Amino acid sequence: MRFTLGEKIELKRGLKDVYIDRSKVSFIDGKQGMLIYQGYNIHDLAEKSTFEETIYLLLYGKLPTQEELNKFETELRSNREIPHSVIEIINMIKEAHPMDVLRTAISALSAHDPEVKDNSIEATLRKGIRLTAQAPTIVAAHARILEGKAPIAGDPELNQAANFLYTLFGVKPDPEDAKVMDMDFILHAEHGINASAFAARVAASTDADLHSAIVAGIATLKGPKHGGAAESVTKMAMEIGEEDKASEYVTKTLKDGGRIMGFGHRVYKTIDPRSIHLRDQAKLVAERKGQPKWFQILSKVAEVMKPYEAKGVCVNVDFWTGVVYQLLDIPEKFYISIFSMGRIPGWTVQVMEQFDNNMLLRPMLEYTGSIDLEYVPIGLRK
Amino acid sequence: MRFTLGEKIELKRGLKDVYIDRSKVSFIDGKQGMLIYQGYNIHDLAEKSTFEETIYLLLYGKLPTQEELNKFETELRSNREIPHSVIEIINMIKEAHPMDVLRTAISALSAHDPEVKDNSIEATLRKGIRLTAQAPTIVAAHARILEGKAPIAGDPELNQAANFLYTLFGVKPDPEDAKVMDMDFILHAEHGINASAFAARVAASTDADLHSAIVAGIATLKGPKHGGAAESVTKMAMEIGEEDKASEYVTKTLKDGGRIMGFGHRVYKTIDPRSIHLRDQAKLVAERKGQPKWFQILSKVAEVMKPYEAKGVCVNVDFWTGVVYQLLDIPEKFYISIFSMGRIPGWTVQVMEQFDNNMLLRPMLEYTGSIDLEYVPIGLRK
């Protein structure tokens, strides 16, 4: 016998267009290509703000005064260090994917956080600040260990973006490079209830703590359909190899039923507003460094893909991110980790919002199997 | 300006009664109190099956022949060992909550799994078998390290349940205790798309790998509203202290607006079928060990709560689980970890099912903030 419910079940596969809650954190208008963090347009934030100010905005819901920002930056900078045992753990699993290492190290940091069990909004905010400060230390330490170099201590004179590049490469970064990194962090800080933020909210809905929720977010962001696209775009650019082969590559790939990476989005049906800034930065950095090749290849790809805009298949945030990272000499395999560490403020504020008006996230599955198979003793089974 | 959508948004808070997909893995009839794994009633499995056979049923969708079961048991037993470096990691973070340790250790195991990147159904199944075999090794090692004892190697002569008790306590378990543990594992092996399985599916929906999905599941199960109830029931029993204080405790707690732990469930509105077996086991073990106290206290609590059954507030699986673990001398703080390690087969098969017909799980949030706040330079902010 199969089970049948009295009424027809409406399946919401992928939870497409299902609204699960209200939020004041961010807004995406997929038709107009608009992204808002806590009331502010992403264009203003990308052009006028800093990552530190944007984190403050996300976590506190308002832009800081100079005094508030100073205090906040001090708090962030004083929390960058990670325990030596976590460095040891990174070293022990260094050959794993950087996202596996980041996930494990963040998970291990729960053993050292004095407020791990405290799920109050205030403690969750403080833990979010600590994790935001600690995550780049993990990523930079891992990258250096992989190159056989010792991790280096941060420089409290440097902001989050500059300090990340410094601890990654061991030299004080060009201020223009640091500014590009800073803008990249701003653009990646929050993006509504995409799969990783959703996973963090599902964890938080059981009253699991922030470390658990962020670990669930990182685990989810790892998927190639989510955080992995920037790396794939870079690989595609390398595969194309030179500008005048881009057109043929795109045409052939699409003809063969393949996909061009860095295009299309569940919500945006027009150009992703973040991609505009990343494209501009990619162009500037390529010119400044005298390495126009990758930018030119991707520009050609974008040009050939232009007709698909009418169908809602547009450049997304990942399309230009990869070439920016490549021009900053960041190893490909760390692209998703950088995305993750920039997203921690967004995950944190969404967990705070979830805690504030919590309800267990527990959907249903329509069962299509049998319900009355007879348990046959093992000797009689065929 | 605030953003308003043209149409009224219907919120699905908690995703209550929202069906997100079809499944052949398990079925819960919350009105009749029925639980089915792959077509078989949980009562048959609890009484006639073994954990190994149940894992096989969940993963392969059929009960094994003797030959298939023998081969499967060999595979499980040969995968119990975990790398020394993971033992070291457990030792380094031993003071953390056992769920934080399990989450970190499973995450770290990704560094050692030869098929970590392979998301094929076949490789995912093999990884699920490995993680099912490895998880008890992590939990037992952690418990022993906490007591200042060295972890001990498993005994390939013992099944999963007996070996867990052996590696936990260092002595071969009483076969009756092992049988109780075995039934407990059967009853916890799978339970539909509860929050932890859902988090595992959200991770898998991005094509993240099984280790990531299981880590998301563990992170989510940690929450007191999900996996933490058995521990809370035990704490409640201890607080009550003796049988003739149970009635007063329940009455007073409810009068003060408190909650009696181990009652009520999002899906079950009648008695949880798993609790029947756990109650029977609790009674038998209590008698056998000559320690009737906790069973008697909880029986009294259940009796006083009886009138609430009419309102759908019934004993759930966690109510009797705690006393069973307590009678087996398992430290309270490890209760959720034991739940987790028993659930790995269920999470694995749900991830396999998600991969088989995958679609990104990405819902929406209704934005209730502003969309056009003016970016005021920092010096002019108040």
Side-chain angles (χ1 to χ4, degrees):
Chain A
M1 193 178 95
R2 283 164 69 100
F3 174 78
T4 44
L5 281 164
E7 52 200 307
K8 175 132 179 63
I9 286 173
E10 187 193 2
L11 284 191
K12 298 284 191 183
R13 290 201 76 227
L15 289 170
K16 201 164 182 301
D17 301 325
V18 176
Y19 284 78
I20 67 158
D21 222 322
R22 297 197 172 90
S23 175
K24 292 193 171 183
V25 175
S26 66
F27 174 63
I28 304 164
D29 183 333
K31 281 183 193 161
Q32 293 188 58
M34 180 164 74
L35 174 59
I36 304 290
Y37 290 174
Q38 300 272 19
Y40 293 90
N41 196 297
I42 192 67
H43 296 312
D44 282 339
L45 297 171
E47 285 158 18
K48 301 171 188 168
S49 187
T50 63
F51 184 45
E52 280 77 1
E53 187 177 76
T54 300
I55 305 172
Y56 187 99
L57 170 66
L58 284 169
L59 295 181
Y60 293 92
K62 69 183 257 309
L63 286 172
T65 62
Q66 190 65 58
E67 195 186 337
E68 287 165 338
L69 185 62
N70 293 349
K71 192 168 159 248
F72 182 68
E73 292 199 345
T74 304
E75 188 177 356
L76 260 180
R77 290 172 198 210
S78 67
N79 277 299
R80 285 175 183 161
E81 206 181 327
I82 58 174
H84 182 68
S85 67
V86 177
I87 298 280
E88 273 184 73
I89 291 173
I90 295 168
N91 194 37
M92 285 156 79
I93 58 170
K94 65 184 175 201
E95 298 301 337
H97 188 283
M99 284 294 274
D100 294 346
V101 174
L102 181 63
R103 192 186 62 215
T104 308
I106 296 270
S107 183
L109 279 174
S110 66
H112 303 276
D113 198 294
E115 297 185 293
V116 66
K117 290 178 191 168
D118 187 344
N119 274 4
S120 65
I121 303 291
E122 298 71 23
T124 302
L125 190 154
R126 287 190 293 270
K127 287 187 278 186
I129 293 171
R130 286 197 279 277
L131 286 172
T132 301
Q134 290 164 328
T137 311
I138 296 167
V139 176
H142 181 210
R144 289 184 69 81
I145 288 170
L146 265 186
E147 290 185 349
K149 297 172 185 162
I152 53 174
D155 179 345
E157 295 297 311
L158 299 176
N159 69 13
Q160 184 98 345
N163 190 62
F164 172 62
L165 293 175
Y166 167 59
T167 52
L168 185 62
F169 298 121
V171 290
K172 299 285 161 74
D174 180 324
E176 292 193 68
D177 284 351
K179 184 69 203 126
V180 173
M181 196 74 247
D182 190 73
M183 189 191 286
D184 177 83
F185 283 149
I186 293 171
L187 295 170
H188 280 89
E190 158 62 21
H191 208 247
I193 192 157
N194 55 14
S196 56
F198 184 38
R201 277 186 184 259
V202 172
S205 83
T206 72
D207 280 343
D209 50 71
L210 184 70
H211 284 77
S212 296
I214 300 278
V215 166
I218 295 170
T220 304
L221 188 64
K222 193 192 171 189
K225 279 195 217 154
H226 191 0
E231 191 179 334
S232 307
V233 172
T234 299
K235 284 182 180 154
M236 176 180 75
M238 288 174 165
E239 207 182 319
I240 294 172
E242 44 192 285
E243 192 185 352
D244 59 14
K245 290 193 176 156
S247 180
E248 190 195 330
Y249 177 92
V250 172
T251 312
K252 189 173 180 321
T253 302
L254 293 177
K255 198 180 152 200
D256 295 350
R259 220 187 124 185
I260 303 299
M261 303 310 294
F263 287 83
H265 194 274
R266 174 73 76 85
V267 183
Y268 292 116
K269 298 304 167 198
T270 182
I271 193 162
D272 182 330
R274 300 167 298 176
S275 71
I276 299 167
H277 299 281
L278 288 162
R279 183 195 168 280
D280 290 350
Q281 292 304 315
K283 186 164 188 284
L284 286 171
V285 181
E287 282 166 6
R288 177 158 55 83
K289 305 214 173 212
Q291 297 173 36
K293 185 174 166 180
W294 306 116
F295 178 77
Q296 285 165 352
I297 291 172
L298 290 183
S299 295
K300 192 73 197 172
V301 171
E303 190 190 312
V304 181
M305 287 293 289
K306 195 87 183 164
Y308 292 89
E309 278 188 13
K311 293 183 186 173
V313 179
C314 303
V315 165
N316 63 35
V317 69
D318 303 306
F319 189 74
W320 296 109
T321 302
V323 68
V324 169
Y325 291 168
Q326 201 175 14
L327 289 163
L328 293 177
D329 286 325
I330 293 168
E332 254 160 74
K333 62 198 293 193
F334 285 95
Y335 291 2
I336 317 186
S337 314
I338 294 172
F339 181 169
S340 301
M341 68 199 215
R343 181 59 53 89
I344 291 176
W347 288 331
T348 300
V349 64
Q350 290 207 42
V351 169
M352 287 161 59
E353 203 170 49
Q354 183 72 32
F355 281 160
D356 194 41
N357 183 20
N358 212 352
M359 182 170 177
L360 187 69
L361 281 159
R362 204 271 187 225
M364 301 289 280
L365 288 170
E366 181 185 11
Y367 185 63
T368 58
S370 307
I371 59 165
D372 57 359
L373 296 184
E374 189 194 351
Y375 185 91
V376 176
I378 194 160
L380 302 175
R381 288 176 206 155
K382 283 164 194 164
Chain B
M1 193 178 94
R2 283 164 69 101
F3 174 78
T4 44
L5 280 164
E7 51 201 307
K8 177 136 176 61
I9 286 173
E10 187 192 3
L11 284 191
K12 298 285 190 183
R13 290 201 76 228
L15 289 170
K16 203 165 181 300
D17 301 325
V18 175
Y19 284 78
I20 67 158
D21 222 322
R22 295 197 174 89
S23 175
K24 292 192 173 186
V25 176
S26 66
F27 174 64
I28 304 164
D29 183 333
K31 281 182 192 159
Q32 294 189 59
M34 179 164 74
L35 174 59
I36 304 290
Y37 291 174
Q38 300 273 19
Y40 293 90
N41 197 296
I42 193 67
H43 296 311
D44 281 339
L45 297 171
E47 285 159 19
K48 302 171 188 168
S49 186
T50 63
F51 184 45
E52 281 76 1
E53 187 177 76
T54 301
I55 305 171
Y56 187 99
L57 170 66
L58 285 169
L59 296 180
Y60 293 93
K62 71 184 257 307
L63 287 173
T65 63
Q66 190 64 58
E67 195 186 336
E68 287 165 338
L69 184 62
N70 293 348
K71 192 167 160 249
F72 182 68
E73 293 199 344
T74 304
E75 189 177 356
L76 260 180
R77 290 172 198 210
S78 67
N79 276 299
R80 284 174 184 162
E81 206 180 327
I82 58 175
H84 182 68
S85 67
V86 177
I87 298 280
E88 272 184 73
I89 291 173
I90 295 167
N91 195 38
M92 285 156 80
I93 58 170
K94 66 184 175 201
E95 299 300 336
H97 188 284
M99 284 295 273
D100 295 345
V101 174
L102 181 63
R103 192 186 62 216
T104 307
I106 295 270
S107 183
L109 279 174
S110 66
H112 302 276
D113 198 295
E115 298 184 292
V116 66
K117 291 179 191 167
D118 187 345
N119 274 4
S120 65
I121 303 290
E122 297 73 21
T124 302
L125 190 153
R126 287 190 293 269
K127 286 187 278 186
I129 294 171
R130 286 197 279 278
L131 285 171
T132 301
Q134 290 164 328
T137 311
I138 295 168
V139 176
H142 181 210
R144 288 183 69 81
I145 288 170
L146 265 186
E147 291 186 349
K149 296 171 185 161
I152 53 174
D155 179 345
E157 294 297 311
L158 299 175
N159 69 12
Q160 184 99 345
N163 190 64
F164 172 62
L165 293 175
Y166 168 59
T167 52
L168 185 62
F169 297 121
V171 289
K172 298 286 161 72
D174 180 323
E176 293 193 68
D177 285 351
K179 185 69 203 126
V180 174
M181 196 74 248
D182 190 72
M183 190 191 285
D184 176 83
F185 284 149
I186 293 171
L187 296 170
H188 281 90
E190 157 63 20
H191 208 246
I193 192 157
N194 54 15
S196 56
F198 184 37
R201 278 186 184 258
V202 172
S205 83
T206 72
D207 280 343
D209 50 71
L210 184 71
H211 284 77
S212 296
I214 299 279
V215 166
I218 295 170
T220 304
L221 188 64
K222 193 192 170 190
K225 278 196 216 152
H226 189 1
E231 191 179 333
S232 307
V233 172
T234 300
K235 284 182 180 153
M236 176 180 75
M238 288 174 167
E239 207 182 320
I240 295 172
E242 44 193 285
E243 192 184 351
D244 58 15
K245 290 193 177 158
S247 181
E248 190 196 330
Y249 177 92
V250 172
T251 312
K252 189 175 179 322
T253 303
L254 294 176
K255 197 181 152 198
D256 295 350
R259 218 187 126 185
I260 302 300
M261 303 312 293
F263 288 83
H265 193 275
R266 174 73 76 87
V267 182
Y268 291 116
K269 298 305 167 197
T270 182
I271 193 161
D272 182 329
R274 300 168 296 176
S275 71
I276 300 167
H277 299 283
L278 288 161
R279 183 194 169 281
D280 290 350
Q281 291 305 314
K283 186 164 187 285
L284 287 171
V285 182
E287 282 166 6
R288 178 159 54 83
K289 304 214 173 214
Q291 297 173 35
K293 185 174 166 180
W294 306 116
F295 178 76
Q296 286 165 351
I297 292 172
L298 291 183
S299 295
K300 191 73 196 173
V301 172
E303 190 189 312
V304 183
M305 287 292 289
K306 195 86 184 164
Y308 292 88
E309 278 187 13
K311 294 183 185 172
V313 180
C314 302
V315 165
N316 63 35
V317 69
D318 303 306
F319 189 74
W320 296 110
T321 303
V323 67
V324 168
Y325 292 168
Q326 201 174 14
L327 289 163
L328 293 177
D329 287 326
I330 293 168
E332 254 160 74
K333 62 198 293 193
F334 285 95
Y335 290 3
I336 317 186
S337 314
I338 294 173
F339 181 168
S340 300
M341 68 199 214
R343 182 58 53 88
I344 291 177
W347 289 331
T348 301
V349 64
Q350 290 207 42
V351 169
M352 286 161 59
E353 204 171 48
Q354 184 72 32
F355 281 159
D356 194 41
N357 183 20
N358 212 353
M359 183 170 177
L360 187 70
L361 281 159
R362 204 270 186 225
M364 301 289 281
L365 288 170
E366 181 186 10
Y367 185 64
T368 58
S370 307
I371 60 165
D372 57 359
L373 296 184
E374 189 194 350
Y375 185 91
V376 176
I378 194 160
L380 302 175
R381 288 177 205 153
K382 284 165 193 163

